[in-house]
Amino acid sequence: MILNQWIDQLGDWNPQLFRELKGRLTVKSMALMFLVSMVGQSLVYMNFESSLPYSENSASHYCLGGSNVNLSSNYACSADAAGNVALNWPLWWAEIFLTLSLIGFFVLLLGGTYLLIQDLTKEQKQGTLNFVTLSPQSATAIALGKILGVPIWIYGCIACALPLHLWSGIRGGIPVYLILMFYVVTATCLLFFYGGALLFALVSGGGASKAWLGTGVLFYASGMTTLLIIHERIHLANVMDGVLLLNPIHMLVFLARSSPVTEKMYWFQSDSFGDMSFFGVPIVGGAAIATLSHLVIYGIGTYWFAQAFKRKFHNAHSTLITKKQSYILTILLTVFAVGFTVQEPYQYSSDYNNWLLNFTLVSICAIFYLLILIAALSPSYQSIQDWSRYHNHKPKEWIWGERSPAFWAIALNGLICFSGVAIAGMIVMEAPYRLPFFLGTVMQLLVVMLLAGIGQSMLLRKTKKRGRLATASVLAGIFLPLMVLAIEQTNPEFYAAPWFWTVTPLIAVKSASISTVIATIIGQTAAIAAMNQLIQQRIKRIGSSELRQLIDAQHQPTT
């Protein structure tokens, strides 16, 4: 058959793609793809068709020539000489195009993510993934084969809908080149998120619920950012502007505004991209610049996902990234986040309180990023044991060694993050607020190091659930102090000291005396030193031989 010959040719290019398509792409499955796609398109078309008025005595959003009805978006309908209702057909087609764009994007994003995580998890359970890792194919080729092959049914359904989607865009007055740019941005976005899905499936636990968890989190994040993009009237003027750039639905703003009927649309009325700035430099609104920005962000993100996937795929005991790579990644993310953070607070003066939201948001993002790095940089228990026995423990090993614990690497990454935040804050803030902000940033870094030490000490325990234990301990250290202070209604303006031991000392530092701040910094430094000593002792115990551990246990006093 022609279909089998085509699949065989693809197999010569990528054997993993051949493996995925051979069982999924059949004549019956292709017919089912076409049927499902036609049914979906028919439902969308009939829904819009039912919204059209059929008499000049009615009012509709799509009517032409009439007057506005009760200051709403509906217009009184009028008829031509032949008695036909005058309708705004470009508006009708443009809204079909936007609707199909939203539906298609979420079907591709969520459906493809779920299938990829489920497929890789299934192969891990069945043990077939071990045979794949032994093949001569590179990890990149295997990942690409899965990305192209596993969601092939979804690709087929979307491909069947492309003619109606393209036709509705053209009839809605949207230039073809903008539609093609949207396709390119969407494709690179899917490559980015699919790469993240494969990495998540490869490294996370959770069994059968893994696919639902990953897809659910992605649905919430993409849904919230899509609502902001559709309905916002102003940009957010903080790091969240950068987060919005991860959603390609933003491109639909430019497509909608290019239509001659854009003023009568319900949605996509705000060109927020034109209001953004990066390090104070305004970003000129335009589809070309928006496309370039999306492609750069997705390209860099996909590269880092690929690096982590290649390391973990062929060696399950290796860390996701090396410590050297983590420093480069931290610098890139710090520049990206701080660039959007230093935007002037919208409609407010740039005093300490109004800058506080921007820098608190970026600091919290930095904290969670650093805590994720603990998992990404922490080697397996066996690797730490080998390192503690056969390697010297010089400072260079702690900073650059792949098998050493991640505690001091996290500290260095934290120093990079919060140095960038502190420098940016001290530049944009007025002189009286610079010292309090700097001291608050220092305390925030020390709290993060303390949390990292707690997580690292849990990971050094010889137990199968040390990962969950470390996660629970760190999350408790983040949220329990905040919950206690909230329950006790502790006002940071009057009782600042307790807030200095939370992840948000910035909200209280302006109200505290310098002596309280210095005493807190000394106390946090002492706590970190004690935590470091505990980690050193545990590493020494891990590195000792089993005979030595048995002798030490026998010489311990009994009670």
Side-chain angles (χ1 to χ4, degrees), residues 215-518:
T215 307
V217 171
L218 187 58
F219 171 71
Y220 177 80
S222 59
M224 292 299 295
T225 54
T226 298
L227 289 176
L228 283 173
I229 293 170
I230 291 176
H231 297 296
E232 71 168 329
R233 292 295 180 265
I234 59 173
H235 71 112
L236 301 176
N238 54 46
V239 69
M240 292 305 296
D241 279 346
V243 175
L244 289 178
L245 290 179
L246 294 176
N247 192 330
I249 294 300
H250 184 271
M251 288 295 299
L252 292 180
V253 174
F254 301 100
L255 274 67
R257 289 169 66 88
S258 69
S259 174
V261 294
T262 181
E263 294 181 356
K264 294 187 178 181
M265 291 184 185
Y266 287 137
W267 42 9
F268 296 113
Q269 290 297 307
S270 174
D271 182 9
S272 62
F273 195 86
D275 299 327
M276 295 180 188
S277 65
F278 190 74
F279 284 110
V281 179
I283 300 176
V284 180
I289 295 179
T291 300
L292 180 61
S293 300
H294 283 293
L295 294 181
V296 169
I297 292 172
Y298 295 141
I300 294 174
T302 303
Y303 167 81
W304 283 101
F305 280 144
Q307 293 302 306
F309 185 85
K310 285 192 291 186
R311 282 181 58 83
K312 202 70 176 176
F313 187 75
H314 289 296
N315 185 4
H317 296 292
S318 67
T319 57
L320 282 179
I321 54 177
T322 65
K323 290 184 173 66
K324 180 180 179 180
Q325 288 175 328
S326 75
Y327 306 140
I328 298 173
L329 178 61
T330 299
I331 291 173
L332 291 175
L333 291 177
T334 301
V335 171
F336 177 80
V338 172
F340 289 103
T341 298
V342 296
Q343 297 179 92
E344 189 77 13
Y346 189 82
Q347 291 183 345
Y348 294 99
S349 60
S350 56
D351 63 11
Y352 181 80
N353 290 330
N354 294 323
W355 279 114
L356 187 60
L357 173 62
N358 283 21
F359 283 97
T360 300
L361 278 175
V362 74
S363 297
I364 292 175
C365 291
I367 289 171
F368 281 99
Y369 162 72
L370 291 171
L371 296 178
I372 291 173
L373 269 187
I374 297 176
L377 294 178
S378 295
S380 64
Y381 185 88
Q382 183 62 49
S383 297
I384 293 177
Q385 188 176 50
D386 295 339
W387 175 81
S388 62
R389 287 180 178 178
Y390 307 115
H391 292 261
N392 56 48
H393 295 178
K394 294 181 180 180
K396 182 179 179 181
E397 283 288 327
W398 286 86
I399 299 299
W400 302 103
E402 288 196 31
R403 294 189 173 188
S404 61
F407 179 61
W408 288 107
I410 297 299
L412 182 54
N413 277 289
L415 184 62
I416 295 172
C417 278
F418 286 98
S419 294
V421 172
I423 293 171
M426 294 178 70
I427 290 175
V428 301
M429 288 185 182
E430 298 177 359
Y433 306 111
R434 291 172 183 171
L435 181 59
F437 177 78
F438 175 76
L439 294 175
T441 306
V442 170
M443 288 188 289
Q444 203 162 28
L445 172 60
L446 294 175
V447 169
V448 171
M449 290 181 62
L450 190 57
L451 291 172
I454 294 173
Q456 184 66 78
S457 65
M458 296 297 107
L459 289 173
L460 293 176
R461 292 179 177 273
K462 192 175 182 180
T463 173
K464 293 182 178 179
K465 297 183 178 180
R466 57 182 177 273
R468 296 181 182 180
L469 184 61
T471 302
S473 301
V474 171
L475 292 179
I478 294 174
F479 293 108
L480 279 182
L482 295 175
M483 292 173 60
V484 171
L485 292 175
I487 293 172
E488 295 295 329
Q489 298 182 350
T490 305
N491 191 327
E493 293 185 4
F494 302 108
Y495 304 99
W499 289 92
F500 293 162
W501 292 87
T502 70
V503 293
T504 57
L506 287 174
I507 66 175
V509 66
K510 193 180 69 168
S511 306
S513 63
I514 189 67
S515 59
T516 303
V517 174
I518 296 300

Side-chain angles (χ1 to χ4, degrees), residues 514-528:
I514 189 67
S515 59
T516 303
V517 174
I518 296 300
T520 302
I521 291 176
I522 293 174
Q524 291 171 341
T525 304
I528 292 171

Side-chain angles (χ1 to χ4, degrees), residues 51-178:
S51 64
L52 292 174
Y54 291 96
S55 68
E56 59 180 315
N57 297 323
S58 57
S60 173
H61 176 55
Y62 301 111
C63 283
L64 281 177
S67 58
N68 187 269
V69 178
N70 296 328
L71 301 179
S72 67
S73 59
N74 291 330
Y75 291 82
C77 298
S78 60
D80 57 17
N84 299 317
V85 178
L87 298 176
N88 190 342
W89 287 110
L91 176 62
W92 189 75
W93 281 109
E95 293 194 348
I96 288 180
F97 172 83
L98 295 175
T99 301
L100 289 174
S101 299
L102 289 171
I103 294 174
F105 169 70
F106 278 99
V107 168
L108 283 167
L109 179 67
L110 302 178
T113 298
Y114 177 84
L115 291 176
L116 285 168
I117 297 176
Q118 183 190 50
D119 178 79
L120 200 59
T121 303
K122 182 179 178 181
E123 291 213 33
Q124 285 176 318
K125 284 185 176 181
Q126 294 177 345
T128 54
L129 189 62
N130 294 329
F131 294 101
V132 176
T133 58
L134 297 176
S135 67
Q137 298 180 81
S138 66
T140 303
I142 293 172
L144 185 61
K146 283 197 169 293
I147 289 173
L148 294 177
V150 173
I152 190 63
W153 290 352
I154 297 178
Y155 296 156
C157 291
I158 297 299
C160 292
L162 284 180
L164 176 61
H165 185 255
L166 187 60
W167 175 252
S168 61
I170 295 173
R171 291 295 301 271
I174 300 173
V176 176
Y177 76 91
L178 287 179

